[in-house]
């Protein structure tokens, strides 16, 4: 909203020759609002300005006059210009992941849709009256992938997070009269895009939980046993085995007074985090520092004989994070990367408790290829017997849902009502912007909506 207000101010300024740089302006926008935004950008361009937009949105890419595609992968596998031109030009480039998805978009559903019948168990939210919700009733089928949709400000987050999550978490009705069927949920968890750790000591290996197993492997080597070292020797968070010069961080922060601080690799350990004595121990030809520096893709092969570690690494690979290093510092991860690591952690222990997961716009900052990987992860969570509720504008995600709860029809005072409940195979509904957009989307993709 704030970004669109600033754009409206620029529209009224009549400036020419300005270069506007926008970083993912479509974040949080419904398909209808997205089209309005693109119209505003085209008006700015028509006045003689240049617009540089960092974007994953398919509509924006297709309407751009010129596209610069970076890749081919992410992290260490990216950083190159794969191609430039319009959308049609990208489609002709075999190395362009963007071009590949523009040429052959996802077909829905990716797997057979789970049926929702009257005999299914439902969470039933009764008389929700919070913010702009107008004493609404909503049904969430258990053991299904559920999308909560609607234009910006229609009450989606209020229903899913402020009413459903808070009520289940506190085991009492919050913002509603009651929630029927809550006893069937053993655990509720919100999987957001906040960092997995605020200090450089946190990394994917420690967060997902397989670093302890790797430390035990090093402690079991003949050299470590001969020296009487336990697994704690191979921790970069405790004294003894870590490099004390950088306190196991591998980096040193140099304060630059009036300039931003600079981080450089530790001279004592060369960024390996451990002291020379600890680094003298090898397991399968690698030191513990070298293992931390491995990418997930490399580690999958390296730990193929160790089932629990290999499974966690494969899950990271499956969600598209194969390029991350095991010891990559958590503050350097994007919101989307952090969220997928949290989902992997949940998948690694799936089956323990019947859980309701709530995700608020998980596709923020994700490329079309990453959206497909995210969808497959969400399906795996549901197949394990859990319920996943996704607040989403992305039509690829909505089209994969087993059940849709659409709020609206507008935002603010014009919203707060349940406009539609049902499956994605539906015909356009008069006052549901989401249903009309979805029906058009499914028809374009070759999935004709069922009347």
């Amino acid at each position: 909203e704030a970004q669109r207000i600033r754009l409206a101010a620029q529209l009224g300024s009549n400036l020419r020759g300005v270069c506007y740089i926008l970083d993912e302006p479509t974040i949080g926008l419904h398909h209808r609002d997205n089209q309005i935004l693109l119209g505003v950008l085209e008006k700015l361009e028509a006045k003689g300005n240049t617009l540089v937009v960092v974007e994953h949105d398919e509509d924006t890419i297709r309407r751009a006059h010129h596209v610069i595609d970076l890749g081919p992968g992410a992290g260490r596998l990216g950083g190159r210009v794969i191609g430039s031109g319009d959308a049609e030009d990208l489609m002709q480039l075999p190395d362009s992941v963007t071009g590949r998805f523009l040429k052959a978009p996802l077909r829905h559903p990716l797997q057979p849709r789970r049926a929702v019948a009257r005999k299914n168990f439902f969470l039933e939210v009764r008389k929700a009256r919070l913010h702009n919700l107008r004493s609404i009733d909503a049904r969430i089928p258990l053991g299904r992938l559920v999308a909560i949709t609607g234009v910006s400000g229609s009450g989606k987050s209020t229903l899913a997070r402020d009413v459903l999550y808070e009520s289940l978490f506190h085991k009492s009705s919050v913002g509603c009269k009651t929630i029927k069927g809550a006893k069937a949920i053993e655990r509720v968890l919100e999987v957001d895009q906040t960092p997995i750790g605020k200090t450089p000591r946190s990394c994917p290996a420690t967060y997902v939980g397989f670093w302890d197993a790797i430390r035990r492997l090093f402690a079991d080597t003949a050299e470590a046993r001969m020296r009487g070292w336990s697994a704690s020797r191979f921790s970069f968070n405790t004294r003894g085995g870590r490099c004390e010069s950088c306190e196991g961080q591998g980096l040193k922060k140099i304060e630059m007074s009036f300039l931003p601080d600079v981080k450089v690799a530790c001279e004592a350990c060369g960024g390996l985090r451990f002291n020379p004595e600890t680094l003298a121990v090898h397991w399968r030809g690698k030191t513990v520092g070298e293992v931390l520096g491995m990418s997930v893709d490399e580690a999958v092969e390296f730990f193929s004989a160790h089932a629990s570690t290999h499974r966690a690494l494969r899950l990271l690979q499956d969600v598209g994070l194969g390029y991350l290093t095991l010891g990559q510092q958590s503050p350097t991860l994007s919101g989307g990367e952090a969220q997928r690591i949290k989902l992997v952690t949940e998948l690694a222990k799936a089956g323990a408790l019947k859980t309701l997961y709530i995700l608020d716009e998980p596709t923020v900052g994700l490329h079309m290829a990453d959206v497909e990987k995210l969808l497959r992860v969400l399906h795996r969570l549901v197949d394990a017997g859990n319920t996943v509720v996704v607040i989403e504008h992305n039509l690829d995600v909505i089209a994969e849902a087993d059940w849709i709860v659409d709020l609206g029809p507008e935002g603010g005072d014009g919203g707060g009502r349940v406009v539609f409940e049902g499956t994605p195979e539906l015909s356009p509904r008069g006052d549901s912007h989401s249903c009309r957009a979805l029906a058009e989307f499914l028809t374009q993709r070759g999935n004709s909506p069922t009347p």
Side-chain angles (χ1 to χ4, degrees):
E1 289 167 336
Q3 189 173 45
R4 281 179 286 165
I5 287 170
R6 291 198 295 272
L7 280 172
Q10 293 302 316
L11 263 180
S13 69
N14 289 319
L15 289 173
R16 298 174 186 275
V18 177
C19 178
Y20 294 98
I21 297 178
L22 298 93
D23 192 358
E24 301 195 50
T26 64
I27 281 178
L29 291 192
H30 188 272
H31 181 74
R32 182 199 65 172
D33 299 326
N34 202 15
Q35 303 308 308
I36 296 170
L37 172 74
L38 292 175
V40 168
L41 298 184
E42 286 176 344
K43 284 181 183 176
L44 272 175
E45 182 267 330
K47 286 187 171 187
N49 300 301
T50 302
L51 284 91
V52 179
V53 185
V54 182
E55 194 53 87
H56 296 297
D57 177 66
E58 183 179 336
D59 288 339
T60 308
I61 296 170
R62 289 187 186 278
R63 285 171 68 166
H65 299 132
H66 190 79
V67 183
I68 299 171
D69 189 43
L70 298 176
R76 295 190 294 185
L77 304 178
R80 301 207 320 266
V81 174
I82 300 303
S84 61
D86 58 21
E88 290 291 332
D89 295 330
L90 290 188
M91 291 183 207
Q92 310 309 316
L93 300 173
D95 289 341
S96 171
V97 178
T98 305
R100 220 161 43 237
F101 273 82
L102 290 173
K103 190 174 184 178
L106 287 179
R107 294 292 300 273
H108 298 287
L110 292 175
Q111 65 178 49
R113 208 179 298 286
R114 305 168 192 88
V116 178
R118 288 186 179 180
K119 64 181 180 181
N120 281 94
F121 288 104
F122 285 85
L123 274 179
E124 297 185 38
V125 180
R126 301 276 180 86
K127 305 298 179 189
R129 296 177 62 96
L130 188 65
H131 304 320
N132 70 331
L133 296 181
R134 301 187 177 192
S135 190
I136 63 171
D137 297 339
R139 296 187 304 154
I140 309 292
L142 297 178
R144 299 292 183 268
L145 176 58
V146 180
I148 297 183
T149 63
V151 298
S152 301
S154 60
K156 302 183 300 298
S157 294
T158 300
L159 175 62
R161 301 174 67 184
D162 300 339
V163 175
L164 186 60
Y165 174 78
E166 292 296 329
S167 296
L168 294 174
F169 184 79
H170 295 290
K171 293 181 168 52
S172 64
S173 300
V174 178
C176 64
K177 185 177 180 180
T178 184
I179 295 185
K180 186 181 175 183
K183 289 183 179 178
I185 297 295
E186 298 173 309
R187 175 172 171 255
V188 61
L189 182 70
E190 184 178 4
V191 187
D192 56 21
Q193 295 199 355
T194 55
I196 60 173
K198 295 181 180 178
T199 71
R201 299 194 179 283
S202 173
C203 64
T206 57
Y207 188 87
V208 177
F210 55 83
W211 184 243
D212 288 344
I214 292 175
R215 290 194 294 121
R216 286 194 294 272
L217 290 174
F218 276 93
D220 283 342
T221 59
E223 193 165 356
R225 288 203 307 271
M226 182 178 66
R227 299 187 183 198
W229 289 346
S230 65
S232 62
R233 175 81 192 193
F234 300 94
S235 168
F236 50 82
N237 287 326
T238 57
R239 291 178 178 274
R242 72 181 184 185
C243 170
E244 289 304 327
S245 179
C246 62
E247 296 183 336
Q249 294 189 41
L251 297 171
K252 279 191 170 182
K253 185 168 72 173
I254 300 174
E255 294 183 2
M256 302 288 287
S257 299
F258 301 106
L259 297 173
D261 295 340
V262 174
K263 289 185 177 180
V264 296
C266 172
E267 292 181 2
C269 65
L272 292 176
R273 298 189 176 204
F274 296 91
N275 59 34
E277 293 79 12
T278 308
L279 292 174
V281 177
H282 290 74
W283 183 78
R284 292 193 59 200
K286 297 283 186 183
T287 68
V288 65
E290 289 170 337
V291 169
L292 267 181
M294 280 184 174
S295 69
V296 170
D297 287 334
E298 292 168 336
V300 165
E301 291 290 324
F302 193 70
F303 292 101
S304 59
H306 299 269
S308 61
T309 302
H310 183 255
R311 181 170 178 266
L313 289 165
R314 277 300 302 271
L315 287 171
L316 283 169
Q317 201 175 43
D318 290 346
V319 299
L321 297 178
Y323 59 90
L324 292 182
T325 61
L326 303 192
Q328 184 158 337
Q329 296 179 340
S330 294
T332 66
L333 299 171
S334 71
E337 288 168 339
Q339 187 173 46
R340 280 181 284 167
I341 288 174
K342 292 176 186 178
L343 288 171
V344 164
T345 307
E346 289 300 313
L347 273 174
K349 60 185 179 187
L353 293 171
K354 295 296 180 240
T355 305
L356 173 73
Y357 297 99
I358 295 177
L359 295 89
D360 193 350
E361 298 191 45
T363 59
V364 165
L366 295 191
H367 186 273
M368 291 173 278
D370 295 324
V371 170
E372 180 186 7
K373 290 167 183 169
L374 172 71
L375 285 169
R376 296 193 186 279
V377 173
L378 298 183
H379 280 308
R380 287 173 72 166
L381 279 173
V382 176
D383 290 339
N386 303 296
T387 305
V388 177
V389 175
V390 185
I391 305 165
E392 194 53 85
H393 294 298
N394 186 292
L395 291 172
D396 277 312
V397 176
I398 299 170
E400 280 299 308
D402 302 309
W403 186 259
I404 293 172
V405 178
D406 187 51
L407 299 182
E410 302 297 334
D413 291 340
R417 302 202 322 265
V418 175
V419 182
F420 174 81
E421 276 187 343
T423 61
E425 283 77 19
L426 40 86
S427 57
R429 307 291 169 116
D431 55 353
S432 173
H433 297 292
S434 301
C435 291
R436 285 203 301 274
L438 183 60
E440 182 183 334
F441 173 80
L442 289 173
T443 302
Q444 287 174 350
R445 294 286 173 92
N447 306 73
S448 298
T450 305

